[in-house]
């Protein structure tokens, strides 16, 4: 009996977490997402790469409904994205998002930044929220900065706080949109290390990045986008050593040999 239910749980705990089917999106005349089909399994780490303007950010924003889509379906954990209201706020919490610009609340302390969503969206008790926030700040290596304001932290520290804030909501999936692009070079690794750790712990992640070292070591799959389409997807080794499309070859030669 026990064995049977364990096996059932295993089945329920695997499978597809984020599914996009025939997703289309226009900005006026620009067809920014063209028939996107993308399935991300639970625990999978997918790195999305591609030239500037290819639609990577729009794809991320569509997944937590910061952008609406014109046609197609997006489901998270089997459920379509809610249109509005509390259900949408919960979805945004289920889908943690970390942007290039850190987007912390400037007039709240680091600790308050990580507590706020827990209290407002997850209805957590203040004391519980604080304990969890401190534990998460410790996990991303900024525990000693808890009482400071975001502007008093380095970019790398702010980005790690942004990750802690998203994690505080117990997200099902984390989206990272070029999280290290605005950072000074010496701060990039401290953020990538936190992301590597998350990946190792089994977090489902969609990561837009030009950090090919991260893609090689952390990604289960690389998705290459160009002009609003997914042109190619492959495991990292295969993608980097043997890209099939001319677009991907051209892109890789530019970013790997500059
Ligand atoms: N809100 C918007 N209104 C109009 N055009 C937009 C908007 N957001 C993005 N775009 C355009 O859509 C295209 C894809 O943008 P984006 O998703 O940001 O690409 P990427 O993240 O791959 O650089 C670009 O041509 C961009 O200029
Ligand atoms: Mg972008």
């Amino acid at each position: 009996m026990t064995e049977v239910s364990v096996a059932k749980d295993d089945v329920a705990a695997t499978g597809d977490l984020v599914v996009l089917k025939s997703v289309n999106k226009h900005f006026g005349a620009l067809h920014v997402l063209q028939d996107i089909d993308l399935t991300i399994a639970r625990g999978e780490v997918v790195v999305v790469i591609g030239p500037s303007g290819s639609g990577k950010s729009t794809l991320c924003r569509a997944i937590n409904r910061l952008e609406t889509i014109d046609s197609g379906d997006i489901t998270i954990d089997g459920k379509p994205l809610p249109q509005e209201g509390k259900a949408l706020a919960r979805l945004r919490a289920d889908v943690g998002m970390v942007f290039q610009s850190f987007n912390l609340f400037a007039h709240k302390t680091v600790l308050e930044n990580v507590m706020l969503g827990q209290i407002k969206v997850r209805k957590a008790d203040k004391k519980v929220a604080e304990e969890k926030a401190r534990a998460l700040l410790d996990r991303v290596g900024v525990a000693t900065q808890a009482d400071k304001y975001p502007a008093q932290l380095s970019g790398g520290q702010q980005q790690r706080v942004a990750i802690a804030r998203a994690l505080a909501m117990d997200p099902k999936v984390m989206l990272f949109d070029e999280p290290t692009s605005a950072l000074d070079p010496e701060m990039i690794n401290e953020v990538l290390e936190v992301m590597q750790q998350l990946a190792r712990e089994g977090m489902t992640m969609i990561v837009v990045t030009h950090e090919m070292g991260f893609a090689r070591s952390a990604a289960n799959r690389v998705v290459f986008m160009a002009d609003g389409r997914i042109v190619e997807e492959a495991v990292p080794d295969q993608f980097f050593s043997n890209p099939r499309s001319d677009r991907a070859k051209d892109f890789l030669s530019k970013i790997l040999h500059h």
Side-chain angles (χ1 to χ4, degrees), residues 40-243:
I40 291 137
R42 217 175 288 276
E44 193 179 17
V45 177
V46 171
V47 162
V48 179
I49 67 173
S52 177
S54 55
K56 306 179 299 293
S57 293
T58 307
L59 178 77
C60 288
R61 292 167 60 80
I63 292 173
N64 71 352
R65 220 176 178 284
L66 290 168
E67 296 283 0
T68 56
I69 57 174
D70 300 336
S71 64
D73 294 300
I74 303 178
T75 57
I76 309 271
D77 220 357
K79 293 186 209 78
L81 301 192
Q83 301 295 305
E84 57 194 16
K86 289 203 169 119
L88 183 55
R90 276 196 299 274
L91 166 90
R92 297 250 167 83
D94 281 347
V95 181
M97 181 119 188
V98 177
F99 302 89
Q100 178 175 336
S101 52
F102 320 120
N103 292 89
L104 297 171
F105 300 114
H107 302 291
K108 305 262 180 212
T109 65
V110 162
L111 183 69
E112 287 165 346
N113 263 279
V114 183
M115 289 173 63
L116 207 62
Q118 297 184 64
I119 294 167
K120 295 249 190 252
V121 179
R122 298 298 196 205
K123 308 294 173 205
D125 172 78
K126 204 171 164 222
K127 203 158 167 260
V128 174
E130 179 174 340
E131 265 174 36
K132 186 167 179 178
R134 288 194 188 279
L136 283 167
L137 289 171
D138 188 44
R139 186 165 148 199
V140 301
V142 290
T144 55
Q145 313 295 319
D147 298 321
K148 292 189 182 165
Y149 286 87
Q152 297 173 282
L153 272 57
S154 73
Q157 290 172 326
Q158 288 185 58
Q159 198 58 308
R160 285 181 284 149
V161 173
I163 294 172
R165 185 176 62 173
L167 290 176
M169 309 300 276
D170 297 318
K172 291 177 176 167
V173 52
M174 287 281 288
L175 302 182
F176 293 87
D177 189 1
E178 302 204 28
T180 60
S181 298
L183 297 177
D184 291 334
E186 73 270 21
M187 291 167 193
I188 291 176
N189 277 339
E190 66 193 41
V191 173
L192 291 178
E193 273 162 25
V194 169
M195 293 166 60
Q196 288 272 12
Q197 181 62 30
L198 264 183
R200 276 197 296 271
E201 289 165 4
M203 176 62 76
T204 308
M205 294 164 62
I206 302 170
V207 183
V208 179
T209 185
H210 296 300
E211 294 294 332
M212 296 301 122
F214 176 84
R216 276 181 185 277
S217 59
N220 299 108
R221 183 160 44 124
V222 173
V223 168
F224 175 72
M225 283 185 76
D227 298 331
R229 291 184 186 279
I230 293 178
V231 174
E232 192 164 335
E233 26 183 333
V235 296
D237 263 1
Q238 190 188 330
F239 179 77
F240 290 114
S241 60
N242 193 17

